[in-house]
Amino acid sequence: MDTIGRWKVNRIFASLGFKLWLPFALGGAIALIVLGYMVVLNYGRERDVAADQQRQAAKVAADRLTFYTTDLTVFMRNTARSVQLLMGNTPTQQDLLLTVLDSREDLYSLILIGADGIERIRLVRGYPPSAVGAYMGDSPAFRQVMAGPGNQD
């Protein structure tokens, strides 16, 4: 019986089907292992590329924002100097501020406050000039301007 059992086992392993199935199964297993390794490597690379693209986009956005705020600061300083040259001439100051408001799409409103903290002119895009006379001397922005550049709280 023992020789018959061995003969059956030898016959099974010696068959053509098993001889073809074994290399196919080994090749498939190796291909799955290589594919898994490639997926893991590709995921890491894709994550790094996406992170680099996000960093670059954030830097571009920060640079644009820095340029915009610098440009707006210089523009508003020049406007303030122009308004100071027209001291006491409220209609001309109002015309200048209306021109500024019309020329800059990014501005919604402009308020001219005198050195005493009293609101002189208030302009809002799309509305007529509103009543003035409110006291703005307690606002942090007014105090910061009155302290001068470099003396920010």
Side-chain angles (χ1 to χ4, degrees), residues 54-149:
Q54 288 175 350
R55 262 188 241 106
Q56 289 173 356
K59 184 176 179 346
V60 167
D63 290 345
R64 285 183 181 172
L65 185 61
T66 300
F67 175 76
Y68 169 76
T69 54
T70 303
D71 178 53
L72 186 60
T73 301
V74 168
F75 183 79
M76 292 309 294
R77 281 188 182 146
N78 290 337
T79 301
R81 288 184 185 121
S82 299
V83 168
Q84 280 179 335
L85 292 175
L86 301 171
M87 288 299 265
N89 192 348
T90 304
T92 308
Q93 289 174 334
Q94 184 172 323
D95 288 343
L96 175 65
L97 292 178
L98 277 170
T99 303
V100 167
L101 195 60
D102 288 340
S103 69
R104 294 289 299 232
E105 295 279 330
D106 51 342
L107 297 178
Y108 179 70
S109 66
L110 290 173
I111 302 171
L112 176 63
I113 302 172
D116 56 358
I118 304 293
E119 185 179 306
R120 303 281 184 238
I121 302 170
R122 176 182 289 265
L123 300 172
V124 179
R125 185 179 300 280
Y127 293 97
S130 61
V132 294
Y135 181 70
M136 304 291 284
D138 292 333
S139 73
F142 178 76
R143 282 195 234 136
Q144 180 180 344
V145 168
M146 294 308 287

Side-chain angles (χ1 to χ4, degrees), residues 16-59:
L16 183 60
F18 185 78
K19 287 180 182 177
L20 293 176
W21 178 81
L22 186 62
F24 178 74
L26 286 174
I30 290 172
L32 283 176
I33 291 170
V34 168
L35 179 66
Y37 182 70
M38 289 174 61
V39 165
V40 168
L41 285 180
N42 193 30
Y43 174 75
R45 284 190 199 118
E46 289 294 326
R47 187 184 61 224
D48 293 343
V49 166
D52 286 341
Q53 288 174 343
Q54 288 175 350
R55 262 188 241 106
Q56 289 173 356
K59 184 176 179 346

